[in-house]
């Protein structure tokens, strides 16, 4: 009996604490908080796709991932990006950024520029012979979507405190590097309040050095590391200048490229940086309310 009473007490305590949690959640939902900028590094396997919502609700999509890797399977655009955007209630994307025309970045965007209202496309306009890039450009042209060739020094002001700065590619374009398509990737620094996010596309060390030499501000709290954590990006110098607290590596499970390299993960570790990997942790979520920044992952760490 005594034990039973105790059991009852326990039940009540559990119910009470559950109730309290519900009330707290409701208060959180109902209390209009400070405007929030949200960035989500989606889990698109081997490739990149990042969705950003500005504090006033304007939207940006950086890259659209590539093929799922299995023959006969639908593209990442159809399988992951579109359903995600629909679930978020997104019909219009104000800015679509194609960092560079490789398949693992452009392929999923072909459907997005066909199926959504798009305000603007930002592209480094590096000539590339792939069918996917051709289809992307053709759709942008057919739908008369405003198209801007990216150049270092451009800024996109969202009118609500969020400002995106184009740090790369320079004019003239980088040439004679290990991979000129990667090195002319759009590198975007997004600032809000005193916080900043840096999205490095597939930029390699040549681009990192060129950005540092240009004197552009690179410091950021969060970095989407360049080229899926490949050893040809994310140099010691770059990390010392950016000084991120958190990074995301967008990478496919058991990918054929050996990404991310142990060299880069070791370097990140030696700087005491918290590393999220989409292959291990799923989508990575970043929230900024101008003073604070929170980073979390779908599958925790
Ligand atoms: Zn890539």
């Amino acid at each position: 009996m005594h034990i039973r009473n105790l059991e009852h007490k326990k039940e009540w305590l559990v119910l009470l604490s559950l109730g309290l949690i519900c009330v707290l959640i409701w208060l959180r939902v109902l209390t209009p908080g400070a405007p929030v900028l949200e960035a989500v590094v989606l889990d698109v396997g081997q490739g990149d796709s990042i969705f950003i919502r500005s504090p006033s609700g304007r939207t940006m999509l950086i890259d659209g991932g590539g093929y799922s890797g299995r023959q006969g399977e639908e593209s990442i655009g159809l399988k992951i990006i579109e359903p995600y955007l629909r679930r978020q209630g997104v019909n219009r994307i104000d800015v679509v950024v194609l960092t560079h025309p490789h398949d693992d970045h452009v392929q999923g965007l072909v459907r997005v520029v066909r199926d959504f209202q798009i305000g603007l496309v930002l592209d480094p306009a590096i000539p590339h012979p792939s069918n996917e890039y051709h289809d992307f450009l053709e759709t942008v042209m057919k739908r008369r979507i405003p198209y801007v060739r990216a150049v270092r020094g451009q800024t996109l002001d969202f009118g609500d405190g969020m400002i995106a700065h184009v740090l790369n590619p320079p004019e003239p374009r980088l040439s004679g590097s290990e991979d000129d398509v990667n090195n002319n990737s759009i590198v975007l620094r997004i600032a809000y309040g005193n916080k900043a996010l840096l999205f490095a596309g597939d930029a390699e060390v040549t681009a990192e050095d060129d950005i540092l030499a240009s004197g552009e501000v690179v410091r950021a709290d969060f970095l989407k590391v360049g080229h899926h954590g490949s050893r040809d990006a994310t140099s010691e110098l770059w990390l010392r200048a950016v000084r991120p607290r958190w990074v995301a590596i967008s990478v496919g499970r058991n990918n054929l490229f050996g990404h991310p390299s142990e060299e880069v993960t070791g370097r990140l570790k030696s700087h005491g940086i918290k590393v999220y990997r989409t292959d291990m942790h799923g989508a990575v979520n970043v929230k900024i309310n101008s003073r604070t920044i929170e980073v979390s992952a779908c599958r925790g760490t």
Side-chain angles (χ1 to χ4, degrees):
M1 191 69 176
H2 190 61
I3 291 169
R4 195 170 164 77
N5 268 341
L6 267 179
E7 287 287 331
H8 274 303
K9 272 185 193 164
K10 264 191 203 163
E11 278 169 26
W12 271 107
L13 275 175
V14 169
L15 282 174
L16 198 69
S17 47
L18 279 176
L20 202 63
I21 289 167
C22 288
V23 170
L24 288 174
I25 289 170
W26 272 106
L27 278 176
R28 210 183 149 109
V29 169
L30 294 173
T31 309
V36 172
L37 182 159
E38 192 172 11
V40 183
V41 180
L42 296 166
D43 180 8
V44 292
Q46 186 68 13
D48 269 13
S49 186
I50 300 126
F51 176 68
I52 297 166
R53 202 193 296 261
S54 82
S56 66
R58 301 189 72 188
T59 50
M60 178 188 261
L61 185 68
I62 303 175
D63 293 333
Y67 286 104
S68 58
R70 290 192 197 131
Q71 261 196 341
E73 270 200 12
E74 291 290 2
S75 78
I76 289 294
L78 186 68
K79 214 174 121 187
I80 295 176
I81 315 272
E82 284 210 6
Y84 173 80
L85 293 173
R86 302 278 185 216
R87 278 201 306 276
Q88 296 297 311
V90 172
N91 299 311
R92 177 188 160 86
I93 301 164
D94 294 294
V95 183
V96 166
V97 177
L98 173 62
T99 61
H100 66 297
H102 283 155
D103 287 0
D104 56 324
H105 299 255
V106 71
Q107 197 272 336
L109 280 185
V110 178
R111 280 196 68 98
V112 172
V113 291
R114 203 178 68 197
D115 297 346
F116 288 78
Q117 272 184 54
I118 310 288
L120 176 81
V121 163
L122 190 65
D123 175 18
I126 306 294
H128 192 64
S130 75
N131 290 339
E132 284 75 13
Y133 186 49
H134 174 266
D135 292 349
F136 173 78
L137 289 180
E138 196 177 61
T139 312
V140 169
M141 245 188 303
K142 258 191 205 158
R143 297 195 66 203
R144 297 171 190 270
I145 298 170
Y147 176 90
V148 174
R149 181 176 176 272
V151 182
R152 173 181 298 153
Q154 290 166 330
T155 57
L156 297 165
D157 189 338
F158 286 75
D160 53 11
M162 172 170 135
I163 299 176
H165 299 266
V166 178
L167 308 188
N168 200 61
E171 192 74 272
R173 301 312 200 207
L174 295 165
S175 62
S177 70
E178 292 255 313
D179 189 324
D180 288 346
V181 177
N182 281 347
N183 276 307
N184 285 302
S185 279
I186 294 177
V187 176
L188 215 55
R189 181 176 182 270
I190 294 182
Y192 180 53
N194 62 357
K195 301 285 183 255
L197 314 173
L198 191 57
F199 300 95
D202 277 3
E204 301 180 0
V205 176
T206 303
E208 293 171 359
D209 288 349
D210 196 71
I211 295 167
L212 293 178
S214 75
E216 292 279 352
V217 176
V218 296
R219 167 84 188 97
D221 302 275
F222 172 87
L223 167 70
K224 195 295 296 177
V225 305
H227 200 199
H228 318 288
S230 152
R231 68 195 322 169
D232 51 30
T234 321
S235 71
E236 181 66 30
L237 267 180
W238 179 246
L239 278 185
R240 277 193 208 158
V242 179
R243 286 179 286 130
R245 277 177 69 190
W246 301 271
V247 299
I249 302 175
S250 189
V251 74
R253 193 173 298 174
N254 304 323
N255 66 80
L256 301 172
F257 309 95
H259 295 159
S261 76
E262 281 181 22
E263 207 173 314
V264 169
T265 51
R267 195 173 296 141
L268 293 165
K269 218 176 188 180
S270 74
H271 280 259
I273 298 165
K274 175 87 180 158
V275 178
Y276 288 96
R277 295 171 50 160
T278 55
D279 60 339
M280 291 166 72
H281 308 120
V284 182
N285 195 288
V286 185
K287 281 182 182 164
I288 308 180
N289 78 5
S290 86
R291 286 194 196 156
T292 59
I293 176 165
E294 273 175 39
V295 183
S296 59
C298 208
R299 292 200 286 272
T301 53

